[in-house]
Amino acid sequence: MNTEIYFDNNATTKCDDEVLKEMLPYLKENYGNPSSLYSFSKQVKDKIQKARKNIAQLINANENEIIFTSCASESNVSAIMNAINNNPTKKHIITTKMEHTSIIETMKYLETKGYEITYLSVDEKGRISLKELQKAIQKENTALIAIMMANNEIGNIYPIKEIGKIARQNNILFHCDVVQAIGKIKINVKNMNIDTLSLSGHKIHAPKGIGVLFVKNEINFTPLIFGHQENEKRGGTENVPYIIAMGKAIEIILEDNYKTNKKIQYLRDKIENKIKERIEGSYVYGDLENRLPNTTNVAFEGVKGEEILLVLENYGIYVGTGSACNAKNIEPSHVLTAMGIDLSQSSPIRISLGKYNTEEEVDKFVEILERTVKCLRMRSKKSEKK
């Protein structure tokens, strides 16, 4: 093949040309420090404020509630540590077994410091139970509920509005990781009762190295990194070009008003339908009635996802097998394990589409995927006979 087919947009996205064009002048010509008083730097500061305004508009927040960080992982850790710092007598946190590793690993660390962590279970479709959440609450001891809006591996969308309501009724802080949801489903921090929220630039066609933490004004906030920047909520000279890039990426989402998602969902559904028609023994994991428009997690009986990935790469086709942050880990997916899926004989590939994908790519992909699965199955049978 002469061109690559990139179907791993949940891992990262290609930087949008408009985003790149918007940020480049701030690497060379408009290089002023936004904290300086002269007009040369004020122009930069105003541009940062415009980016902040765009993000606030997208999630229905106030501009002064938006804090720029280096990545969503920093935002997640900052939100969690702030929650426990502000509630020193409360030693219990509720999360799920499906969270991003930045959440899971922080919880493991807190367990070593004497905190009790409740990891909500999920059913075979990766869905959580609100009843289990209610039962897990310790009235005088639960400091935080931390649950993602959408899962990065299977695409499940979780009942955030209901979870936020439960948190509010019990006077518990609620943190939501919306990294995979941003730009794909509508987010309203006010009616969803979200106290803190994290998002990332490189999932929405901005560069890697820029994230956002939303902190509701009513929440006392202790910074993870001290300094005067970001209204004294996150120290360090602002990453100006990347902040401006993220502001532009959000502006593009606002202008598109989620129309592109219809095309992406059409392509996702076409992939699934073609796979079901042409490849026997295929399974799609997750909550098929309530998921992101771009994500499918599909397995093929008797074939390992890692094997498929390596063969597809030879054709210039790129898919995922789980979280990119966990790609070097030889352990099976914690998400699929939580769902009770037996990964000993077969494991899935994750196909996550983006705005640059085409119907022609989908047709070519399914054609090569069908041949790949057949070939790997034949090889497996020959190996068994030996």
Side-chain angles (χ1 to χ4, degrees):
M1 292 182 64
N2 296 324
T3 57
E4 68 179 27
I5 296 176
Y6 185 74
F7 283 171
D8 199 19
N9 287 273
N10 283 7
T12 195
T13 57
K14 176 183 177 181
C15 191
D16 189 296
D17 288 342
E18 290 184 51
V19 169
L20 185 62
K21 183 180 178 181
E22 189 83 2
M23 71 180 284
L24 284 178
Y26 295 88
L27 287 166
K28 191 170 183 181
E29 290 90 3
N30 303 331
Y31 53 83
N33 188 320
S35 294
S36 300
L37 296 178
Y38 36 77
S39 59
F40 178 57
S41 292
K42 185 180 182 301
Q43 295 171 4
V44 176
K45 187 174 183 179
D46 289 345
K47 198 72 175 180
I48 289 176
Q49 198 58 30
K50 182 182 176 183
R52 203 185 308 276
K53 182 179 180 180
N54 287 344
I55 295 164
Q57 182 180 343
L58 187 67
I59 65 173
N60 193 29
N62 300 316
E63 291 177 37
N64 65 349
E65 295 174 320
I66 304 300
I67 304 166
F68 290 108
T69 65
S70 65
C71 60
S73 291
E74 180 193 328
S75 299
N76 282 333
V77 176
S78 296
I80 294 168
M81 299 309 291
N82 182 70
I84 64 172
N85 287 337
N86 283 334
N87 294 279
T89 63
K90 296 183 177 182
K91 301 293 182 179
H92 177 239
I93 299 173
I94 301 171
T95 188
T96 79
K97 295 179 180 179
M98 309 284 280
E99 300 302 307
H100 186 264
T101 50
S102 61
I103 299 278
I104 297 290
E105 293 303 317
T106 304
M107 296 303 171
K108 288 180 181 178
Y109 166 77
L110 290 175
E111 284 179 305
T112 69
K113 300 299 178 180
Y115 283 83
E116 179 188 352
I117 312 297
T118 297
Y119 299 91
L120 300 178
S121 60
V122 294
D123 64 13
E124 72 283 355
K125 292 185 177 182
R127 299 173 299 193
I128 63 172
S129 164
L130 294 178
K131 288 183 179 179
E132 185 183 356
L133 171 61
Q134 289 272 24
K135 278 186 178 181
I137 292 172
Q138 299 176 11
K139 283 287 185 182
E140 304 300 325
N141 197 35
T142 303
L144 175 70
I145 296 171
I147 297 176
M148 60 172 42
M149 186 169 289
N151 187 265
N152 51 305
E153 291 192 36
I154 57 175
N156 279 19
I157 299 171
Y158 295 103
I160 296 305
K161 188 174 182 179
E162 291 82 354
I163 294 167
K165 184 177 180 181
I166 291 170
R168 178 65 55 85
Q169 289 171 343
N170 289 277
N171 196 30
I172 299 169
L173 290 176
F174 176 37
H175 173 67
C176 190
D177 175 340
V178 306
V179 168
Q180 293 299 337
I182 199 78
K184 298 167 190 169
I185 55 178
K186 291 185 178 180
I187 299 168
N188 186 326
V189 294
K190 290 184 171 66
N191 72 20
M192 289 178 168
N193 292 310
I194 295 172
D195 295 307
T196 58
L197 167 154
S198 60
L199 61 95
S200 174
H202 76 103
K203 310 291 187 177
I204 54 170
H205 303 283
K208 301 167 189 65
I210 182 67
V212 164
L213 172 64
F214 155 80
V215 179
K216 192 166 65 175
N217 280 331
E218 292 81 359
I219 305 299
N220 291 325
F221 187 74
T222 303
L224 198 64
I225 302 172
F226 289 91
H228 70 83
Q229 293 86 356
E230 295 300 292
N231 199 24
E232 299 188 348
K233 291 179 179 178
R234 201 272 188 182
T237 301
E238 294 88 346
N239 188 357
V240 174
Y242 285 60
I243 290 171
I244 290 169
M246 186 160 191
K248 183 62 177 180
I250 295 290
E251 182 182 301
I252 291 169
I253 292 172
L254 288 167
E255 290 172 352
D256 180 72
N257 196 26
Y258 303 92
K259 292 174 186 173
T260 300
N261 285 316
K262 293 179 181 178
K263 171 205 137 184
I264 293 172
Q265 184 170 331
Y266 165 77
L267 295 179
R268 192 274 312 276
D269 291 346
K270 183 173 183 179
I271 288 174
E272 289 183 350
N273 291 332
K274 278 182 167 285
I275 285 174
K276 291 172 186 175
E277 290 171 8
R278 298 171 63 168
I279 308 176
E280 291 184 10
S282 58
Y283 309 93
V284 178
Y285 295 128
D287 183 358
L288 305 191
E289 302 301 318
N290 197 24
R291 57 179 171 153
L292 297 173
N294 79 315
T295 305
T296 184
N297 192 294
V298 58
F300 305 91
E301 193 174 298
V303 183
K304 293 284 187 180
E306 293 80 3
E307 296 175 314
I308 297 173
L309 184 148
L310 292 173
V311 175
L312 291 179
E313 185 180 1
N314 292 329
Y315 291 94
I317 300 172
Y318 305 104
V319 298
T321 56
S323 169
C325 297
N326 209 28
K328 292 184 178 180
N329 192 343
I330 60 172
E331 294 295 319
S333 160
H334 72 283
V335 171
L336 300 176
T337 300
M339 293 164 62
I341 295 171
D342 181 7
L343 301 172
S344 60
Q345 298 302 315
S346 62
S347 57
I349 57 171
R350 180 188 65 185
I351 302 160
S352 49
L353 306 176
K355 65 181 181 180
Y356 296 117
N357 293 129
T358 66
E359 197 160 1
E360 183 183 5
E361 288 179 333
V362 165
D363 293 336
K364 191 68 177 176
F365 166 69
V366 175
E367 176 190 329
I368 294 173
L369 177 64
E370 181 184 15
R371 295 206 307 262
T372 299
V373 172
K374 285 181 179 177
C375 180
L376 290 171
R377 282 173 173 168
M378 286 175 61
R379 185 189 302 174
S380 178
K381 287 180 181 178
K382 287 180 181 178
S383 180
E384 287 174 6
K385 288 179 180 179
K386 290 180 180 180

